[in-house]
Amino acid sequence: AMLPRSTISRTSRPQEGRPTGRSSEIQRLIGRSLRAVTDMALLGERTILIDCDVLQADGGTRTAAITGSYVALYQALLNLVRNGVFEVVPLKSSVAAISVGLVDKAMMLDMCYEEDARAQVDFNVVMTDRGEYVELQGTAEKGPFSQDNMDGLLTLARQGIGYLLNVQREAVRAL
């Protein structure tokens, strides 16, 4: 949920049970990303709810939500292991996401709002720690882009996601 004052102009408080179109899209993206790394057979008939509230939106909110949600999911599943529900955490790998873009002919990682608004090309990249893509969302904002630009942006995203996966690893070790 985008909380009031999380954006430059006031955002309306989310209505109970009525997510906006943008929130629904982001919810589905987060769910797909987490399900991609979860051993669904081992998880069984369980539902895990993870809340993501945006306190300050400055670009990359959906990618930050995916990266943070993985840590929350790991913590929830680890608690089930500690309570004897599972023998092991039912995750196949970890997952993180980041935005990249082409702004004034420069490739940028984790763009802020101002950079994202000026981007000629904008990508959200979701990857596992095995180097597998879960989702790519790419858009030419101001005109077509080349294969070289796409390859460069995906290489930059892979580097950024590698850093985020290391931060996640440290966070879950501390649990």
Side-chain angles (χ1 to χ4, degrees):
M2 301 284 283
L3 297 183
R5 301 307 303 163
S6 63
T7 57
I8 293 170
S9 61
R10 181 171 168 77
T11 302
S12 298
R13 185 169 295 282
Q15 298 299 312
E16 187 69 31
R18 300 188 64 191
T20 65
R22 183 173 189 271
S23 291
S24 292
E25 173 201 344
I26 294 170
Q27 287 173 8
R28 288 191 301 272
L29 173 61
I30 295 167
R32 285 191 305 270
S33 299
L34 296 179
R35 282 190 301 275
V37 298
T38 302
D39 185 335
M40 300 302 284
L42 189 56
L43 184 63
E45 296 290 325
R46 292 177 179 81
T47 299
I48 297 174
L49 298 176
I50 297 174
D51 286 325
C52 301
D53 290 331
V54 176
L55 304 177
Q56 182 178 358
D58 188 21
T61 54
R62 69 191 66 209
T63 57
I66 291 165
T67 303
S69 291
Y70 170 79
V71 175
L73 175 63
Y74 187 95
Q75 183 177 21
L77 295 172
L78 182 61
N79 285 338
L80 291 173
V81 169
R82 289 177 176 158
N83 289 326
V85 175
F86 298 120
E87 291 182 23
V88 297
V89 174
L91 292 170
K92 301 180 275 187
S93 59
S94 57
V95 66
I98 201 157
S99 65
V100 290
L102 192 61
V103 181
D104 301 327
K105 300 182 183 177
M107 292 190 187
M108 302 191 84
L109 180 67
D110 194 26
M111 298 175 293
C112 69
Y113 176 79
E114 290 80 16
E115 294 161 342
D116 185 58
R118 293 188 357 251
Q120 291 85 38
V121 179
D122 181 12
F123 268 87
N124 291 314
V125 181
V126 184
M127 292 182 73
T128 70
D129 61 346
R130 296 177 180 177
E132 301 165 314
Y133 292 101
V134 174
E135 185 141 353
L136 296 171
Q137 295 178 341
T139 304
E141 299 288 349
K142 302 203 169 49
F145 56 92
S146 69
Q147 181 72 46
D148 287 343
N149 282 337
M150 185 171 77
D151 293 344
L153 289 170
L154 293 179
T155 297
L156 184 59
R158 183 180 294 268
Q159 293 168 354
I161 288 172
Y163 172 80
L164 293 173
L165 291 166
N166 286 331
V167 171
Q168 280 180 334
R169 214 170 284 121
E170 293 300 317
V172 299
R173 278 191 192 129
L175 299 174

